[in-house]
Amino acid sequence: MDRLFEFMLPEAKSPTADSTDALFHFINEVSLVLLIGITIALIYFAIKYRRRSEDDETPVITHNNTLEITWSVVPLLICFVIFGWGYTGWLNLKSVPDNAYEIQVTGFKWNWSVKYNNGAQTLNEIHVPVDRPVKIVLQSSDVLHSFFVPDYRVKHDVVPGRYTYVWFEANEVGESQVFCTEYCGTDHSDMLAKVIVHTEEDFQTWLEKNGGGVSGTPVEQGEQLVQLQGCTTCHSDDGSRLIGPSFKGLWGSEETLTDGSTVTVDENYLRESILNPGAKIVESYDNVMTPYEGRISDEEITNIIEYLKTLK
Amino acid sequence: MATAEVSNTKTLKVQRFKPADNPTNTYLTDEKGVWAWMTTVDHKKIGIMYLVAVAIFFAVGGALALLLRTELMTPAKTFIEADTYNQLFTLHGAIMVFFVLVPSIPAALGNFIMPMQLGAKDVAFPKLNLASFYIYVAGAIFTFIALAQHGLDTGWTFYTPYSTESSSSVIWVTMGVFILGFSSILTGTNFITTIHKMRAPGITWGKLPLNVWALYATSIIQVLATPVLAITVLLLTMERWLGFGIFDPALGGDPVLFQHFFWFYSHPAVYIMIVPGFGIISEVISTFSKKTVFGYWAIALSSLAIAFIGFLVWGHHMFTSGQSAVATTVFSFLTFLVGIPTGIKIFNWIATLYKGSIKMDTPMIYVFIFLFLFSIGGFTGIMLGALSVDIHLHDTYYVVAHFHYVMMGGTLIALLAGLHFWWPKMTGKLYNEKLAKIASVFIFVGFNVTFLPQFVMGAQGMPRRYYNYVDQFTAFHQTSTIGSYLLGVGFLIILYYLMHSLFKGAKSPANPWGSRGLEWQATSPPDFHNFDHTPVVIHGPYDYHQPMEEFQLGLAVDTNGHDSETAKEVVDKEREQWKNYSLG
Ligand code: HEM
Ligand SMILES: [Cu+2]
């Protein structure tokens, strides 16, 4: 039986998961005992007291105080235990240790953008050191999302207009899956990420290597930025149609908009489409892109435009 | 209505009215034709119309579910696009909740049966009753318009700001739900009035069938909670339409506020869905074990307790939302309190079986299925109420499995129990018992094959509302899909034998189950006015130790066509019984 219950949960990889798992098993065990009792009673009564004739007489048993008080009070007490247990476990999930390493994560349709304290930036990969508490500070730039790592038993909604957080302490080197668990539209189920756990040493090396963000010529920076900013989730560079129009051959082309007018793709059109994509929607596409207003600098936009010019 | 207490009114003349087995005049032979049906104020016909509408919606919602499950056979695309999938699950949820489960038991079966259980000729406001039905139809039309336009892709919960920004036809659906709400409110008002004012002589609160108690509790929730839903969808409509910033942070609103509003209705609404089911279970279990219900008052009052505490737990849907820590703690605590009255009912029903005379006909089989599945639903609800565990399980398939165990395993199975129980009453026909049993096996097995794996994959981390999934979950999804096909087969068998019964079924006697319920003391199908006398009630509805004759009393009138004993004889006998009888 224990095997079954253990099979139900992924392996726990953060200390706060233990209390959650123990409670999960406890409730399962109590429920199973009660369920088996209920099932046996049902089957036993159905057989033992099956109708033998249409004139069967049955006793008048209207109630029984002792019995009824017992089966009200005992479950109530069990419920109090469960409440207290769940409450203390949850307090642990909320109380971030003082020495936690902070990482900023922004959810937007349909990616997770990750920023570290030295300016390093990643997309859909959260690099963390092992055996050290990590606090993930969450924000959203469009609709609700929810940040869920089953291995750590943590989850929190990512709410536009406010900060929320989760914390964990990965206890082994490796990878853990991150899911978005608040429905956010077309690619909700592809809004995945990985927590990548390094040894403390590897983590520091990784940080240093990636510190300062993107590098190289403006075109090279632009190429890295369209990855990091999640543009490539919806825009291909090979002409294939994804959720948005492809970048290939975009520069200088003429686009027909939903209102029937046309525009030539120049710097200003591109800039507007990044900062406020809803202003001009290309025909046959939906207005689903998240505005990058406030999330991207002018210099970064310029670099991206330089890169797009090269995609002929 | 006469309020005389039969037991101490010496001059009241009652006599026995035994329901005839082959009635020539019934509500079906009166007022024939489509127009007569559409304009009828007869609660029975209105009940049947609701039943047909609910069945159609159920077929649509069920077909959508099969499409969803088929798409989930493989990760990524199986045969439909992500956007289509998102629309399908939204519609499936919205249809099943708003158009099937909420009206199913109260408006369909309740409308037909409840006035009969009170010995009344109709509900208190028959025209309002018909109006409720058409308001329901109007709500449905709005929803279909949405479908014809851009569909709906927000999930049945309409969470903001997604729903404010979505390019689908949100306004049509929210207006549909808004209109639908009035149908629910009016039915609730109608039922409350009927239960207070239209009880036949002798039906004191302590002799009210538990089905009526359940509908009473439900009506209270409907009247109190539904307006909040109406306000919520109205605010949402204003935000989308007029750009008022209420929920969308981009407009200065608060998205979590929407969730508070939404669940303030929708948590009580889960009790609107399940409590009427409780009523059916009590009726069927007592009839098929020929025994007084154990703990009548416990069952009756726990429905009311659930109705009231149910208003105070909505925050348990929002443990991860960012609501305040104090709120989260209190909501978790109260959630456990609402679990207790539910548990008490289960124990009472099982105790009712003890030393009964149990007959496993189809309605009773569904009661057993209900007790098993609903228990699992309840236990997993407790699991989700536990704070630390819910953080992990929230918005995964575990929650999907939980609410299917309570809503389908609970409400829908109870509806099937009630439908099979009252089918002979409503149609005057019997159905094929053997096929019915076979179908129930398909339903039971299919249901568990579909939803048990969902608990496991949910706990392993599979999020809900996912079109695509990681490979690890493939086996669970495929098992679940196969289960859903079994369920589909089960429902097709039911459709087949019920249609067969309707057109070619054997005639049913007035009271095929030997029930003591007042609705069974009318002919099957009932007379246009339910009873052609005023029933008089001296025993509780589950007093199986009292002879059947004493459940068939009515005020003596000069003109009656039924085989009656002389009034005096009945009264004397009844008074003898009364002496050593007391209600437990
Ligand atoms: C013992 C009784 C019950 C308890 C303690 C309970 C508890 C809960 C909790 C805590 C949740 C939130 C889980 C989450 O979102 O993380 C939940 C979800 C839900 N429950 Fe229950 N529940 C009970 C009975 C019912 C019944 C009777 C129904 C309906 C007939 C029901 C329908 C639902 C639905 C529809 C949801 C999910 C809604 C959504 O997010 O779409 N529950 N339940
Ligand atoms: Cu709830």
Side-chain angles (χ1 to χ4, degrees):
Chain A
M1 217 60 248
D2 276 357
R3 278 263 197 68
L4 175 70
F5 293 152
E6 255 144 50
F7 170 68
M8 285 183 77
L9 292 171
E11 198 193 330
K13 294 186 182 161
S14 174
T16 54
D18 295 341
S19 151
T20 306
D21 290 10
L23 180 54
F24 182 82
H25 295 323
F26 174 75
I27 301 175
N28 269 337
E29 277 152 20
V30 174
S31 303
L32 199 70
V33 169
L34 285 170
L35 183 68
I36 290 174
I38 290 173
T39 313
I40 291 179
L42 284 176
I43 294 173
Y44 176 77
F45 286 166
I47 295 170
K48 170 126 200 241
Y49 302 118
R50 67 183 176 278
R51 187 168 300 177
R52 284 154 219 268
S53 107
E54 288 306 315
D55 308 321
D56 277 356
E57 302 244 336
T58 55
V60 183
I61 310 173
T62 56
H63 61 291
N64 179 325
N65 288 340
T66 338
L67 205 56
E68 288 182 78
I69 290 173
T70 316
W71 71 42
S72 311
V73 173
V74 173
L76 190 65
L77 295 179
I78 299 179
C79 278
F80 285 157
V81 172
I82 295 175
F83 166 75
W85 195 334
Y87 176 65
T88 48
W90 172 77
L91 283 184
N92 289 337
L93 292 176
K94 285 196 73 80
S95 346
V96 189
D98 292 337
N99 59 343
Y101 180 75
E102 263 192 38
I103 300 177
Q104 307 288 327
V105 172
T106 305
F108 61 99
K109 285 188 252 172
W110 291 278
N111 289 290
W112 302 97
S113 145
V114 188
K115 288 201 179 111
Y116 305 80
N117 56 2
N118 70 342
Q121 214 182 323
T122 53
L123 186 80
N124 298 335
E125 278 182 4
I126 303 166
H127 294 262
V128 302
V130 74
D131 289 333
R132 192 159 136 203
V134 173
K135 177 179 181 184
I136 307 275
V137 180
L138 299 158
Q139 52 181 314
S140 162
S141 35
D142 43 36
V143 297
L144 294 173
H145 301 279
S146 189
F147 182 89
F148 176 37
V149 192
D151 286 351
Y152 306 145
R153 317 282 190 269
V154 295
K155 179 183 290 127
H156 208 292
D157 287 9
V158 184
V159 186
R162 65 168 87 165
Y163 295 98
T164 56
Y165 65 87
V166 298
W167 81 273
F168 54 84
E169 186 180 324
N171 59 16
E172 66 179 56
V173 173
E175 292 189 352
S176 286
Q177 182 73 50
V178 179
F179 294 107
C180 173
T181 47
E182 188 61 67
Y183 173 69
C184 56
T186 312
D187 273 354
H188 166 55
S189 62
D190 291 325
M191 189 167 160
L192 309 178
K194 283 259 155 65
V195 179
I196 300 176
V197 188
H198 302 278
T199 60
E200 185 70 41
E201 241 169 83
D202 290 355
F203 179 68
Q204 293 305 340
T205 336
W206 180 89
L207 253 190
E208 270 158 41
K209 214 176 89 203
N210 291 273
V214 296
S215 60
T217 65
V219 172
E220 279 165 10
Q221 293 198 20
E223 183 169 8
Q224 293 163 42
L225 281 167
V226 295
Q227 301 284 340
L228 281 177
Q229 295 285 357
C231 316
T232 47
T233 315
C234 301
H235 303 279
S236 74
D237 58 5
D238 60 0
S240 56
R241 182 191 167 113
L242 301 178
I243 289 176
S246 174
F247 286 155
K248 187 178 165 134
L250 182 60
W251 175 257
S253 68
E254 185 146 293
E255 296 276 25
T256 310
L257 304 180
T258 37
D259 62 4
S261 63
T262 56
V263 290
T264 309
V265 178
D266 58 6
E267 275 100 344
N268 284 324
Y269 171 75
L270 286 176
R271 184 184 156 84
E272 182 184 44
S273 297
I274 294 170
L275 292 177
N276 182 16
K280 298 195 174 78
I281 297 292
V282 180
E283 192 173 24
S284 87
Y285 290 93
D286 287 330
N287 180 9
V288 291
M289 179 172 158
T290 308
Y292 279 73
E293 184 82 62
R295 285 195 292 144
I296 193 163
S297 70
D298 285 353
E299 192 192 333
E300 285 172 320
I301 295 178
T302 313
N303 291 343
I304 289 178
I305 294 176
E306 286 312 305
Y307 166 65
L308 293 184
K309 286 180 183 170
T310 65
L311 294 176
K312 296 262 156 48
Chain B
M1 243 333 89
T3 49
E5 270 292 338
V6 179
S7 54
N8 50 29
T9 306
K10 293 193 175 80
T11 51
L12 191 63
K13 275 197 190 162
V14 296
Q15 65 185 40
R16 181 181 179 200
F17 295 90
K18 190 168 181 284
D21 272 338
N22 272 316
T24 45
N25 266 331
T26 72
Y27 78 105
L28 293 171
T29 59
D30 261 307
E31 284 194 341
K32 281 174 120 152
V34 178
W35 184 247
W37 272 80
M38 286 175 59
T39 55
T40 183
V41 291
D42 176 19
H43 68 99
K44 298 183 288 301
K45 286 198 167 100
I46 295 174
I48 299 279
M49 293 198 291
Y50 266 115
L51 194 61
V52 172
V54 164
I56 292 172
F57 275 113
F58 179 71
V60 175
L64 291 174
L66 292 181
L67 291 178
L68 290 168
R69 284 300 345 156
T70 307
E71 170 54 41
L72 290 172
M73 264 314 242
T74 61
K77 182 175 169 177
T78 304
F79 77 112
I80 52 178
E81 298 298 333
D83 282 331
T84 321
Y85 179 86
N86 293 343
Q87 296 217 346
L88 292 186
F89 81 66
T90 301
L91 288 175
H92 164 73
I95 288 181
M96 287 301 200
V97 170
F98 296 118
F99 291 93
V100 177
L101 289 183
V102 169
S104 63
I105 298 181
L109 292 182
N111 237 325
F112 195 109
I113 297 302
M114 191 267 286
M116 299 194 66
Q117 289 187 318
L118 296 179
K121 289 191 196 313
D122 208 318
V123 292
F125 309 113
K127 285 181 188 153
L128 195 63
N129 202 15
L130 184 65
S132 301
F133 177 73
Y134 282 109
I135 295 173
Y136 170 83
V137 173
I141 290 174
F142 269 69
T143 310
F144 280 116
I145 292 178
L147 290 193
Q149 305 233 329
H150 306 287
L152 179 74
D153 72 340
T154 61
W156 75 280
T157 45
F158 304 111
Y159 272 17
T160 52
Y162 188 82
S163 56
T164 323
E165 294 168 10
S166 162
S167 55
S168 61
S169 310
V170 177
I171 293 185
W172 284 107
V173 181
T174 49
M175 288 330 289
V177 169
F178 180 79
I179 296 171
L180 198 65
F182 284 97
S183 163
S184 196
I185 295 171
L186 295 179
T187 304
T189 321
N190 214 338
F191 279 16
I192 291 176
T193 320
T194 308
I195 295 166
H196 273 276
K197 291 293 180 196
M198 310 273 287
R199 307 193 306 271
I203 306 190
T204 54
W205 289 94
K207 287 192 197 129
L208 216 50
L210 287 165
N211 185 46
V212 178
W213 270 111
L215 288 172
Y216 186 67
T218 310
S219 301
I220 293 177
I221 317 178
Q222 280 179 319
V223 171
L224 295 181
T226 319
V228 180
L229 178 70
I231 293 166
T232 313
V233 294
L234 210 58
L235 289 174
L236 181 60
T237 311
M238 279 160 59
E239 180 166 284
R240 270 188 75 97
W241 213 353
L242 308 171
F244 288 8
I246 300 158
F247 306 123
D248 188 345
L251 302 169
D254 179 358
V256 179
L257 179 67
F258 176 86
Q259 299 176 27
H260 280 292
F261 275 165
F262 182 82
W263 291 113
F264 187 89
Y265 165 76
S266 292
H267 185 82
V270 310
Y271 296 110
I272 295 180
M273 297 179 236
I274 192 66
V275 171
F278 293 161
I280 294 180
I281 300 302
S282 304
E283 300 295 320
V284 173
I285 211 163
S286 128
T287 299
F288 288 88
S289 36
K290 270 188 174 251
K291 192 158 164 286
T292 321
V293 165
F294 183 92
Y296 172 91
W297 282 110
I299 295 184
L301 298 182
S302 60
S303 290
L304 285 177
I306 288 174
F308 288 111
I309 311 174
F311 273 102
L312 304 174
V313 302
W314 77 88
H316 68 210
H317 297 268
M318 301 170 58
F319 290 155
T320 69
S321 70
Q323 72 183 353
S324 86
V326 179
T328 296
T329 311
V330 173
F331 282 128
S332 168
F333 185 77
L334 291 172
T335 297
F336 293 109
L337 294 191
V338 86
I340 301 300
T342 316
I344 291 177
K345 283 181 195 280
I346 304 244
F347 292 130
N348 277 302
W349 287 320
I350 294 174
T352 302
L353 296 173
Y354 174 70
K355 294 202 169 162
S357 160
I358 299 173
K359 187 141 186 273
M360 291 306 281
D361 284 334
T362 310
M364 190 65 153
I365 290 183
Y366 280 114
V367 167
F368 273 54
I369 295 180
F370 171 97
L371 290 174
F372 182 79
L373 299 182
F374 186 73
S375 297
I376 297 181
F379 292 138
T380 54
I382 294 293
M383 183 74 95
L384 292 171
L387 281 176
S388 58
V389 182
D390 183 66
I391 298 299
H392 176 62
L393 297 176
H394 176 69
D395 269 348
T396 66
Y397 263 78
Y398 194 95
V399 174
V400 177
H402 157 70
F403 66 71
H404 280 90
Y405 267 83
V406 280
M407 303 215 285
M408 185 162 182
T411 308
L412 208 86
I413 296 292
L415 176 69
L416 284 176
L419 187 65
H420 285 85
F421 180 51
W422 285 310
W423 182 265
K425 174 58 53 188
M426 297 190 292
T427 63
K429 300 286 177 60
L430 297 172
Y431 48 82
N432 185 326
E433 182 68 24
K434 202 160 149 204
L435 274 179
K437 284 190 170 132
I438 294 175
S440 72
V441 173
F442 270 94
I443 302 256
F444 180 72
V445 174
F447 181 87
N448 286 297
V449 174
T450 309
F451 294 108
L452 268 182
Q454 297 189 357
F455 282 125
V456 183
M457 67 171 146
Q460 289 190 355
M462 173 72 209
R464 65 191 281 208
R465 298 178 171 171
Y466 260 35
Y467 166 72
N468 192 1
Y469 51 85
V470 296
D471 283 337
Q472 167 197 357
F473 300 118
T474 311
F476 297 111
H477 274 298
Q478 289 177 344
T479 314
S480 186
T481 302
I482 291 168
S484 69
Y485 296 154
L486 291 177
L487 266 176
V489 173
F491 282 107
L492 286 180
I493 303 178
I494 295 181
L495 180 69
Y496 166 76
Y497 67 73
L498 287 187
M499 287 306 111
H500 186 272
S501 151
L502 202 55
F503 295 110
K504 297 196 188 135
K507 267 205 158 53
S508 160
N511 188 355
W513 318 118
S515 174
R516 296 292 193 270
L518 189 51
E519 76 274 25
W520 290 105
Q521 311 309 341
T523 56
S524 297
D527 186 74
F528 186 58
H529 292 297
N530 299 344
F531 305 89
D532 55 2
H533 54 276
T534 299
V536 171
V537 172
I538 54 174
H539 298 308
Y542 310 112
D543 286 346
Y544 281 85
H545 52 292
Q546 309 288 6
M548 185 67 93
E549 301 83 77
E550 297 181 11
F551 292 82
Q552 298 171 336
L553 304 180
L555 285 185
V557 280
D558 293 336
T559 53
N560 72 78
H562 294 268
D563 44 345
S564 55
E565 298 166 24
T566 61
K568 185 168 182 320
E569 237 175 53
V570 181
V571 178
D572 285 351
K573 208 161 109 198
E574 167 256 308
R575 210 175 284 138
E576 271 309 303
Q577 296 283 349
W578 194 242
K579 262 189 226 150
N580 43 30
Y581 170 74
S582 84
L583 188 83

